[in-house]
Structure formats: structure tokens, C-alpha cells
Amino acid sequence: MWLLNTTELHLHPYQPPDRDLSDTPFLPYAILSHTWGDGEVLFEDLPKPSSKNLPGYRKIEQSCALARSQNWDAIWIDTCCINKSSSAELSEAINSMYAWYRRSSVCYVYLSDFSLSVDDHGPSGIRNSAFRDGFKKCRWFSRGWTLQELLAPFNVEFYDKEWHFIGDKAELASEISAATGINQKYITNWDAVNEASVAARLSWASRRQTTRLEDQAYCLLGLFHVNMPLLYGEGHQAFLRLQQEIASNTDDESLFAWCRGASEWRGSHSGIFADRIDFFASSAEYVPLPRFANDRAPYAFTNKGLAITGRFTKIRSPDLNGRFLFSENDSRYRYLLLALNCTKENSPEHLFTIILKCEAYNTFVRYLPNQDFVKEKFASHCENTEIQTIYIRQLPFDSKLDISKETYPSWLTSCVLIMPSQVSCLDYALKHWRVSATTRITPSPYEWEIRFQTLLGTRGYAILLFKCIRGSHLTVILDFGFTAGGMYYVAGLRAHADASIFTQTIDARINEVAGQIPLNQVDQDVRDSDGTIVRLLSPPQSTHLNVYQLEILSPVQQSHRMGVPLR
């Protein structure tokens, strides 16, 4: 650790005591917290006479003068006190930085984009709205590294761009809370930060930015008391490693209480860990259950994924309304419900619950990560569930998947729809359809579910929900008719691509799509809202079944269309 002499402005090495020592809680140095700008004075620049011409030199002079006026002989400033040319020294600094701020005697926060005005206080001394609005917009509150610089030190003083004293952390707790979304008890109580849930601490950082993507994880190491090597260039993998380190050191399952949100539609599957920190933006209220109520066996990292032992509720699938089809005694289930040992702070009856989908024997992925569920929706089905160990696979993060819902995959996919040709009831006909599939690429980019709706006695709709793993989701509606001779036929086809199939009822979905998209006859191309071609091929005359082949072809592949055999 290098410290800057506040009188001579020279660097000298300093070896602080172990951060776990309690007999010397504060060390004899001040520390500066700020946001970087152009022309900062770096470690290698400081000894050069030319460093005084850099714009950042005045910030060093002013902070040293302030520390000197308070009788501090040394100060630590991240721009010039870290030798970044040494990877070992940089790694040590980042892994120790939280401790350095925590052990400092005073931390000066320099707000380079805020000016204190004489009109900022009302007649009673209360800061007015102009002050609060300007203070809240300071860039310092939006940066990733400054989160630990706010929470770690005991004594934090704020200064404006002209180095006028604004107030300390305790005096400004209300304004800081409004700017950061952090509860005041964690701002004013130095030791309370360690009591905050994992989800809460991650939520504090969810809306902050860093210059390097990896620093979104590295700037949180001290906040969770974990250490890990720095691997710049690993991208999103850094945040995954951080979550794994946290999971190795705590049984707080609010770590898994994240949600992508309705606007983030990158497919219906994910791993147990979040791909990005902003997925925790709405997780601040989740807290772990009391330890005596947490009976989960320790989880472990394996080559099949995260091993979790607990009670799981079997379901067949979720429906469009967020309800579940339970399958407690059915060995053919594909989905499990996992109620985490965490709840909302003010609603202890609401357990955060995730849906897991089986991919292989005893191996699952998280399903529908865009939605959060609570145990109340299926509490009556959670009794007497068996204890088992499953593996939750972490899907690799692929930046190519981070696409808008208007982008569609470039695979040709077809499925075969088989319906009995002569029956006396349309309901029976629809419910006895069978679906098989052939694809040119394995694994298929789609899953599908069939939903049925009967209108009147002679007309009906079958709605097929193609849940695309990558890109948009496709809704296909088949319009059925009924002949006097007992033959059912497909009168037309509608197709529409969007991402709202899980948020609407079947009736609403049919009415919306059927009302907006014109009807096309069988054996004609239907071009949906994304430019994807959907075509339903009529059954051969020789078959005794109504066998239809549904082809889906993206715009990229339309020039390479190929036939896919029915069987």
C-alpha cells in the first residue's frame, strides 16, 4: 500500500495491520473518494515535474491541503497510489480496497459536478428540493466503485467542486438514501452493512456503471468479504465467479432471488445464477429466513451444475396465467418448483420461488427467469414433497443472445400436427391432436405447447405457443371448420411473433391475434410481424388422418427453404 505525504506530496510505502485486527480500528491516514476525469495523475506521473500541469493535480493538492488542515500526515488516492503496471499490486489493491477504506480515519468525497449554494437551505435550515435534486444527480452516486467508498468508512465527509464542506454521511443520510436506494440504517450504522441480505447488497449496485465490465464484480469483493483473482477480459464471467464465491461463503439464498424483468426477453431458460447484476434491481426487499428455519443441506459445485438438496414440488408446466398443473404422483413431470429460503422483509409469507425445467436425468435449468413467483400460488401442493438432490446447470452467457424481440433465429423448423379425421365432437378432435417434430438442427431452438379453444359447435381454434429459446416467441392460431359429413378441416392460419404469451389468457391471446392478423388459407405463406414465414401444408389425400406440416422459416433462411419429410 502506498500513501501520499500531505506536505511534500511524495509517495511512501505503508504496510497496514491485518484487516481483521480489532485493537486498531482506524489507521492514521485520510482517503479520497471521487470520480475519474480527464488528465488524472497516475502512479508513474507523480514524480515527474510535468504532473503539475495535468488537470487532476489540483484535486490532489486540495485533498492533501484538507487532510493537512485536519492534522493527517498521509492520504490515499486511488489514481496515484496504485502501481497499475504491476498486476500483482493491482490485484492486491482491489482485493484490499474495501479494508483500506474501512480502516481510514476519514474519507473525503469530492463531488466535481455539484456546487453548494447559499440558497440550498430553507429558513429552518432544512435543505430544499433544489439541493436534493442536484445532489441526487451527482455522477458519484452512479459509479460502481463508489458504493464501497460510501459504506466502508466510518467517517465520510462530502465536499462540492470548490471544496466547500456539504455535510457528513450521518447528516446527509436522507439525501444519500434517496440517491442510492439504500436504506438509511445501512448508511448511518457502520456495522449494519454486514447484516444486509445478499440480494439487497447486489441491488444497491444494480444500477451503477463501471468503465470495465469486469469491475461490476470486482468492485463488490469487499462488500461480500470474498477474494478472487482478477482476469480482465473474462467479461460477464466475472460476475458469475463472484456469485459462486458468495455461494461458497453463505447460505443466504436471496442470492438466487433475481428476475430479468419483462423488458429483458432473452429466452425462457437460464442458469441458477444471474447473468448480469441489473437483474437484482428489484431484489432489495428479499431477506433470508432465520437460520433455524433453513433446513437446506449445503449445496456444492459439480461438473453437472450446482447440486441442491431439498423438497421440490413436481409440476407438468406453467400455464398462461401463472398457474401450475401439478403432477405429484406422475413420473413424467418435466418441471419442479423450488421455494427458496428467503422472503420479502415485510411479507414473511411470500417465499421467492423459481421454476426448474428438466434437461437431462436429474439436471435442470431455471425456467421463465423473467417472472418471479411466490409460494402462495401453490402452497397446498407443497406438502409431503420428497427430499431429493438435483443439479442446476449454469447456461453460458452469450452476448449474441442479448437481442431485441424483433430479432428472430435463423433456423428452419417444422412440426407435424396429426388429428383424427372423423369424429363427432370438435372438442374431442382438438384434444386428441398429436404433435411430433423434425428439425434440421439439434437441439431445436423452439419448444412448443398446444392450447385449445372451442367456439360454438362447428368452429374452433387451436393455439400453438412456440417458446423460442433465442429471440421472439411465435403464436400460431389454426382456424378449424366442420363439415356436415363429420370432417374437420383447417380453414386458415394466423401467426404472430412477440414476447407476451406468458402474460395473457388464452381467450385474450386468440382474440388479439385473430383480430389483428388477416386469415390466410392453407398451403399459402403467412408472413408474421417479424418477417418470418409460417406455412401450413395440407394433408396428403391418401392418409386416413388429417396430417398437417407446419413450417417456420426465418428471413435469413428463406432463400434456402427445404422440404422436411412428414415422418
Side-chain angles (χ1 to χ4, degrees):
M1 180 183 188
W2 294 89
L3 290 178
L4 186 65
N5 183 280
T6 57
T7 301
E8 300 175 354
L9 274 62
H10 291 163
L11 291 170
H12 60 88
Y14 175 73
Q15 182 62 46
D18 189 285
R19 68 176 181 179
D20 294 327
L21 294 179
S22 58
D23 55 343
T24 55
F26 305 114
L27 301 177
Y29 62 85
I31 202 164
L32 177 68
S33 175
H34 65 112
T35 55
W36 283 45
D38 296 331
E40 296 289 355
V41 178
L42 304 181
F43 180 87
E44 60 271 20
D45 297 327
L46 192 61
K48 303 175 183 177
S50 59
S51 63
K52 297 181 180 180
N53 300 324
L54 294 173
Y57 192 80
R58 182 177 182 274
K59 182 163 47 178
I60 293 177
E61 283 186 318
Q62 293 293 328
S63 58
C64 286
L66 177 61
R68 195 166 57 248
S69 69
Q70 297 182 356
N71 299 317
W72 301 116
D73 296 328
I75 189 171
W76 188 87
I77 304 174
D78 59 351
T79 53
C80 60
C81 293
I82 301 177
N83 182 8
K84 297 182 177 63
S85 63
S86 169
S87 58
E89 186 168 327
L90 177 63
S91 179
E92 178 187 2
I94 290 180
N95 278 276
S96 305
M97 197 173 297
Y98 185 89
W100 292 352
Y101 274 91
R102 190 166 181 82
R103 305 297 293 279
S104 65
S105 294
V106 61
C107 175
Y108 305 133
V109 174
Y110 175 62
L111 304 179
S112 60
D113 53 355
F114 182 76
S115 294
L116 190 64
S117 170
V118 294
D119 299 325
D120 283 340
H121 292 75
S124 61
I126 300 176
R127 296 178 178 88
N128 59 27
S129 59
F131 172 88
R132 293 193 297 269
D133 291 343
F135 189 75
K136 183 178 182 179
K137 293 177 182 177
C138 288
R139 182 170 173 259
W140 188 85
F141 291 110
S142 68
R143 306 303 296 171
W145 287 103
T146 57
L147 177 61
Q148 66 175 359
E149 297 164 14
L150 167 67
L151 298 173
F154 178 80
N155 184 16
V156 180
E157 298 177 356
F158 288 81
Y159 293 85
D160 74 352
K161 62 188 301 183
E162 299 300 330
W163 292 92
H164 297 137
F165 179 67
I166 304 172
D168 62 28
K169 182 165 64 170
E171 295 171 339
L172 297 169
S174 176
E175 289 80 5
I176 295 173
S177 179
T180 61
I182 302 174
N183 191 299
Q184 289 190 45
K185 67 181 180 181
Y186 300 118
I187 298 172
T188 57
N189 188 339
W190 188 49
D191 292 321
V193 174
N194 294 329
E195 300 172 2
S197 70
V198 170
R201 279 179 272 180
L202 289 171
S203 74
W204 301 339
S206 62
R207 294 181 175 89
R208 293 174 174 255
Q209 293 84 42
T210 57
T211 303
R212 298 291 299 268
L213 178 61
E214 297 85 354
D215 284 339
Q216 291 183 351
Y218 300 158
C219 70
L220 299 176
L221 295 179
L223 196 60
F224 292 99
H225 305 288
V226 299
N227 297 96
M228 63 186 202
L230 310 185
L231 303 172
Y232 282 104
E234 64 176 327
H236 290 278
Q237 187 71 16
F239 185 55
L240 172 60
R241 287 201 296 128
L242 173 66
Q243 294 172 88
Q244 292 173 339
E245 288 292 333
I246 295 172
S248 299
N249 289 275
T250 180
D251 58 358
D252 182 352
E253 294 185 6
S254 70
L255 173 63
F256 310 127
W258 55 269
C259 180
R260 285 180 179 170
S263 62
E264 176 66 27
W265 199 265
R266 295 179 54 251
S268 58
H269 302 74
S270 75
I272 188 69
F273 296 110
D275 291 330
R276 301 202 312 248
I277 194 169
D278 56 298
F279 293 168
F280 285 91
S282 301
S283 302
E285 297 181 356
Y286 284 99
V287 297
L289 291 177
R291 292 190 179 276
F292 65 82
N294 186 348
D295 60 352
R296 184 96 65 210
Y299 29 76
F301 296 97
T302 73
N303 60 344
K304 295 182 66 175
L306 186 70
I308 294 183
T309 301
R311 297 185 182 273
F312 303 90
T313 304
K314 302 175 184 178
I315 60 172
R316 291 181 181 175
S317 67
D319 72 6
L320 295 177
N321 299 311
R323 297 188 299 261
F324 304 98
L325 302 175
F326 292 93
S327 182
E328 296 170 350
N329 299 314
D330 190 344
S331 61
R332 296 172 297 175
Y333 70 91
R334 297 183 63 196
Y335 301 87
L336 294 177
L337 296 177
L338 170 60
L340 300 177
N341 287 320
C342 70
T343 180
K344 287 192 174 181
E345 190 169 15
N346 298 322
S347 303
E349 71 280 3
H350 292 116
L351 295 182
F352 192 98
T353 302
I354 59 177
I355 306 176
L356 302 172
K357 181 181 176 183
C358 185
E359 275 202 330
Y361 176 73
N362 225 25
T363 302
F364 293 77
V365 294
R366 183 172 171 179
Y367 186 60
L368 300 185
N370 294 66
Q371 302 185 31
D372 53 358
F373 301 94
V374 294
K375 189 174 181 180
E376 277 57 37
K377 289 186 178 180
F378 46 87
S380 61
H381 297 268
C382 296
E383 303 298 328
N384 301 320
T385 52
E386 62 183 25
I387 296 178
Q388 62 182 113
T389 299
I390 66 168
Y391 303 92
I392 306 177
R393 188 168 67 89
Q394 185 65 32
L395 300 180
F397 185 92
D398 184 353
S399 59
K400 294 180 180 179
L401 299 186
D402 196 6
I403 54 181
S404 65
K405 68 178 183 179
E406 286 75 22
T407 308
Y408 215 63
S410 57
W411 290 292
L412 169 66
T413 302
S414 71
C415 66
V416 180
L417 314 173
I418 305 174
M419 184 184 75
S421 58
Q422 293 196 26
V423 291
S424 59
C425 174
L426 182 59
D427 279 334
Y428 179 87
L430 294 178
K431 292 177 181 177
H432 285 78
W433 266 47
R434 300 196 308 274
V435 181
S436 59
T438 55
T439 60
R440 300 194 62 81
I441 295 180
T442 302
S444 168
Y446 297 96
E447 311 174 357
W448 50 76
E449 295 181 6
I450 269 193
R451 308 289 186 188
F452 300 108
Q453 179 76 9
T454 303
L455 305 178
L456 304 177
T458 60
R459 299 298 299 276
Y461 292 103
I463 177 170
L464 289 82
L465 308 179
F466 288 82
K467 298 178 293 184
C468 180
I469 295 175
R470 304 185 179 192
S472 300
H473 293 242
L474 181 67
T475 302
V476 176
I477 294 181
L478 304 180
D479 186 351
F480 290 91
F482 171 72
T483 66
M487 294 288 293
Y488 289 88
Y489 62 96
V490 178
L493 170 70
R494 297 172 173 87
H496 183 60
D498 68 2
S500 62
I501 60 174
F502 300 111
T503 61
Q504 297 177 319
T505 64
I506 297 174
D507 290 345
R509 195 77 201 102
I510 289 179
N511 292 336
E512 177 186 341
V513 176
Q516 293 180 357
I517 302 175
L519 181 68
N520 292 70
Q521 298 298 318
V522 180
D523 296 325
Q524 295 182 8
D525 287 344
V526 177
R527 193 177 296 272
D528 73 2
S529 58
D530 287 347
T532 298
I533 287 180
V534 181
R535 189 181 192 191
L536 188 72
L537 306 180
S538 58
Q541 296 294 326
S542 59
T543 180
H544 67 284
L545 296 175
N546 285 347
V547 180
Y548 294 88
Q549 181 177 353
L550 184 69
E551 292 186 350
I552 304 171
L553 189 62
S554 75
V556 178
Q557 292 290 329
Q558 287 170 15
S559 60
H560 301 90
R561 188 167 187 168
M562 304 178 184
V564 180
L566 287 176
R567 293 180 175 82

